[in-house]
């Protein structure tokens, strides 16, 4: 009897853990919008530098989901692909994705029949800690930065000059860490346009870098001009 009780206890614990994991996975980002004229709901979770998840058409319900893989290819370029039963079923054009609530993703969706539809998705929910927000200055110019992958070792995100507005973002990608300096490249339309060199101090390990919330250093643009950098993490 004791063995049966223990097995039952383990089974209930396994089910509870599984449900908690599934709930956590679904909570990173929730988007709603339309593909063509059809309303959809998309749920995504972070997977390293990439994103995975699924979406469904509201008319069909959540039991009929299609898988989504959003892969960071490097150089500020992203691929967003739809799968059905493990097979490629469609592709989405995707610029530099942003992750704040109310941000919009817009582009074109092409299905396996090569038919194209416009899509618009709005972020309705982002889990606490899923995105880190920064603000600061490059030289005398104010900037806003956003990282969805921010673990002290790898930073993937974007930024824009406040004078130009969020419609003119540049992609950000870690280039390495060496001798107390963190290197982050920025990209425009897949082309490298500059480099951030952030003085972290050699005392910071990879795990400690994730708690580093104030950056000082330099930014060098494509023309070789250097500017001071001062940026700090803000509250969500």
């Amino acid at each position: 009897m004791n063995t049966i009780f223990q097995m039952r206890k383990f089974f209930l614990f396994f089910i509870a853990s599984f449900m908690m994991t599934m709930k956590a996975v679904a909570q990173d980002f929730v988007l709603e919008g339309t593909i063509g004229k059809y309303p959809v709901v998309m749920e995504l979770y972070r997977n390293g530098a990439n994103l995975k998840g699924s979406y469904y058409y509201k008319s069909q319900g959540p039991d009929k989901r299609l898988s989504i893989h959003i892969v960071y290819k490097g150089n500020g370029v992203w691929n967003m692909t739809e799968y059905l039963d493990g097979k490629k079923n469609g592709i989405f054009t995707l610029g530099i994705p942003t992750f704040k609530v109310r941000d919009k993703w817009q582009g074109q969706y092409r299905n396996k029949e090569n038919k194209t539809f416009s899509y618009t998705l709005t972020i309705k929910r982002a889990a606490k800690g899923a995105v880190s927000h920064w603000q600061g200055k490059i030289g005398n110019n104010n900037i806003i930065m956003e990282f969805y992958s921010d673990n002290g070792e790898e930073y993937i995100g974007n930024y824009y000059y406040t004078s130009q507005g969020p419609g003119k973002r540049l992609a950000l990608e870690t280039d390495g860490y060496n001798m107390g300096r963190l290197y982050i490249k920025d990209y425009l339309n897949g082309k490298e346009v500059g480099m951030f060199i952030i003085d972290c101090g050699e005392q910071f390990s990879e795990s400690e870098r994730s708690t580093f919330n104030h950056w000082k250093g330099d930014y060098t643009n494509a023309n070789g001009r250097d500017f001071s950098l001062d940026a700090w993490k803000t509250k969500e």
Side-chain angles (χ1 to χ4, degrees):
M1 180 67 70
N2 187 51
T3 301
I4 295 175
F5 175 77
Q6 291 295 330
M7 290 179 64
R8 182 173 180 271
K9 185 177 180 182
F10 172 79
F11 178 74
L12 291 174
F13 174 79
F14 174 81
I15 292 297
S17 299
F18 176 78
M19 294 302 293
M20 288 178 66
T21 300
M22 291 302 292
K23 184 178 180 180
V25 161
Q27 282 183 342
D28 272 351
F29 304 106
V30 177
L31 303 90
E32 294 186 20
T34 56
I35 298 176
K37 62 181 180 179
Y38 303 103
V40 297
V41 176
M42 183 176 292
E43 297 174 346
L44 300 171
Y45 64 94
R46 295 181 300 174
N47 182 38
N50 304 317
L51 295 152
K52 288 187 176 181
S54 63
Y55 82 95
Y56 62 90
Y57 289 88
K58 287 186 176 181
S59 60
Q60 298 179 2
D63 291 336
K64 293 187 177 181
R65 294 176 178 266
L66 297 103
S67 297
I68 288 290
H69 291 187
I70 301 177
V71 178
Y72 182 69
K73 304 297 290 184
N75 298 350
V77 177
W78 303 74
N79 284 352
M80 184 172 173
T81 309
E82 168 195 288
Y83 292 89
L84 178 62
D85 298 328
K87 296 181 179 180
K88 185 175 178 180
N89 196 64
I91 58 174
F92 295 79
T93 62
L94 184 63
I96 299 174
T98 61
F99 298 96
K100 288 195 302 185
V101 173
R102 293 186 294 277
D103 280 355
K104 292 184 182 295
W105 296 5
Q106 294 177 311
Q108 299 293 312
Y109 165 74
R110 187 171 74 245
N111 64 19
K112 62 182 180 180
E113 283 82 29
N114 211 33
K115 294 181 179 179
T116 302
F117 304 88
S118 297
Y119 79 87
T120 298
L121 297 169
T122 301
I123 294 184
K124 294 294 186 179
R125 187 167 72 246
K128 184 178 177 66
V131 179
S132 66
H133 303 285
W134 296 66
Q135 67 182 49
K137 288 179 176 290
I138 296 176
N140 294 320
N141 297 304
N142 294 320
I143 60 170
I144 300 292
M145 308 172 86
E146 171 187 274
F147 294 98
Y148 91 95
S149 180
D150 172 1
N151 60 11
E153 180 180 5
E154 182 174 49
Y155 290 84
I156 305 292
N158 63 80
Y159 80 101
Y160 63 91
Y161 292 92
T162 58
S163 61
Q164 298 180 1
K168 294 188 176 181
R169 295 178 185 262
L170 294 92
L172 292 167
E173 175 188 358
T174 304
D175 190 51
Y177 179 84
N178 186 41
M179 300 297 290
R181 289 183 171 181
L182 176 66
Y183 297 85
I184 299 178
K185 291 182 178 180
D186 63 348
Y187 296 88
L188 179 63
N189 298 325
K191 182 180 179 181
E192 182 185 340
V193 293
M195 172 80 78
F196 293 87
I197 303 174
I198 298 146
D199 295 317
C200 297
E202 292 187 47
Q203 72 272 22
F204 287 97
S205 66
E206 288 183 359
S207 60
E208 289 171 326
R209 269 177 261 150
S210 65
T211 65
F212 198 29
N213 57 15
H214 191 177
W215 286 348
K216 283 185 175 291
D218 298 288
Y219 172 74
T220 303
N221 67 17
N223 297 320
R225 293 188 61 189
D226 294 327
F227 301 87
S228 62
L229 168 71
D230 187 11
W232 54 93
K233 188 180 289 189
T234 61
K235 294 182 180 180
E236 295 184 29

